[in-house]
Amino acid sequence: MIITIDGPAGSGKSTMAKRLAKRLGFGFLNTGAMYRAVTLYFLRRRVDISNQDMVNSLLPDIHLEFSGERLFLNGEDVSEEIRLPEVERFVSAVSALPEVRQRMVELQREIARKGNYVLEGRDTGTVVFPDAFCKFYLDASVEERARRRQKELAEKGFSYEFTELVQEIERRDYLDKNREIAPLIKPEDAVVVDTSSLTPDEVEEKLYHEVKKKM
Ligand code: C5P
């Protein structure tokens, strides 16, 4: 059984996917983390991503593996590093590459087919599992999403201007929604939840009850 949660950055997808998976006894797959790890790999090697041959030749060398919530890139735990702002700055460009998407989607299907899974990302209900049992689309105002991001970064010891975060989120939204392949869109059959003025507990209850209604 597959449940998908798509939506823009900071809409609460990861938190909700984790909570829902735990409550239902499902596996949890954070697809954004995979695109971030590929981005980190290219950044470290200073790869010019407009060079398609170079990207294609390197992709087979990238091995991703999850262990619980930790993500390993060629055996190295990169769970913290993939959250860095410089990865975030480039991830939308890397995730727009067709070869990268093809490989990630294959891997996501391979992982999630092993059992019951909650997947979260941008295209999990439209491309990865269009026949998913239950689909959600989470959204929130850009200000609220920037506030959440600021809090999350502050907890890690980073201080960022609120307006800078608003701009960065708007830029990433624009790129993710307007790319040619697998853009971020609401799946037609998704339950849409605006999380701007809801607490995490309230969102979790809403999603849980939607799933239970269908079971
Ligand atoms: O979810 P998160 O913000 O960590 O995702 C990072 C980036 O990865 C997104 O901005 C998007 O460019 C890309 N992504 C994607 N498809 C997914 C998940 C994430 O293109 N299914």
Side-chain angles (χ1 to χ4, degrees), residues 5-10 13-14 30-36 39 82-83 87-88 90-96 101 104-105 108 119-125 128 149 172-173 175-177 179 181-184:
I5 306 182
D6 291 306
K13 301 180 307 284
S14 294
N30 178 337
T31 63
M34 299 167 73
Y35 290 97
R36 287 171 181 265
T39 304
I82 58 169
R83 300 284 147 202
V87 172
E88 205 148 288
F90 287 103
V91 67
S92 293
V94 171
S95 66
R101 298 210 71 81
M104 290 305 110
V105 169
Q108 288 154 16
L119 284 92
E120 61 104 343
R122 303 292 187 288
D123 65 341
T124 62
V128 189
R149 188 80 187 112
R172 198 143 63 94
D173 281 357
L175 292 172
D176 291 342
K177 288 179 176 172
R179 68 181 173 218
I181 304 167
L184 169 64

Side-chain angles (χ1 to χ4, degrees), residues 18-124:
K18 261 185 246 171
R19 283 183 175 219
L20 203 56
K22 194 168 171 205
R23 196 152 162 188
L24 295 165
F26 282 25
F28 155 67
L29 184 59
N30 178 337
T31 63
M34 299 167 73
Y35 290 97
R36 287 171 181 265
V38 174
T39 304
L40 178 65
Y41 182 90
F42 287 150
L43 276 174
R44 282 177 173 176
R45 277 163 189 71
R46 300 181 193 283
V47 174
D48 169 10
I49 60 161
S50 63
N51 183 339
Q52 207 169 324
D53 290 340
M54 176 71 105
V55 168
N56 287 344
S57 71
L58 286 172
L59 273 176
D61 298 340
I62 302 177
H63 299 284
L64 302 181
E65 217 174 313
F66 283 96
S67 173
E69 279 183 27
R70 314 299 296 179
L71 176 56
F72 291 79
L73 165 64
N74 295 340
E76 178 194 346
D77 185 348
V78 291
S79 317
E80 311 296 336
E81 214 174 330
I82 58 169
R83 300 284 147 202
L84 290 176
E86 70 199 89
V87 172
E88 205 148 288
R89 218 166 294 136
F90 287 103
V91 67
S92 293
V94 171
S95 66
L97 300 172
E99 309 78 19
V100 171
R101 298 210 71 81
Q102 195 188 339
R103 221 180 135 75
M104 290 305 110
V105 169
E106 270 169 27
L107 192 55
Q108 288 154 16
R109 288 180 181 149
E110 203 180 295
I111 296 171
R113 279 202 182 114
K114 289 186 186 139
N116 296 324
Y117 263 86
V118 181
L119 284 92
E120 61 104 343
R122 303 292 187 288
D123 65 341
T124 62

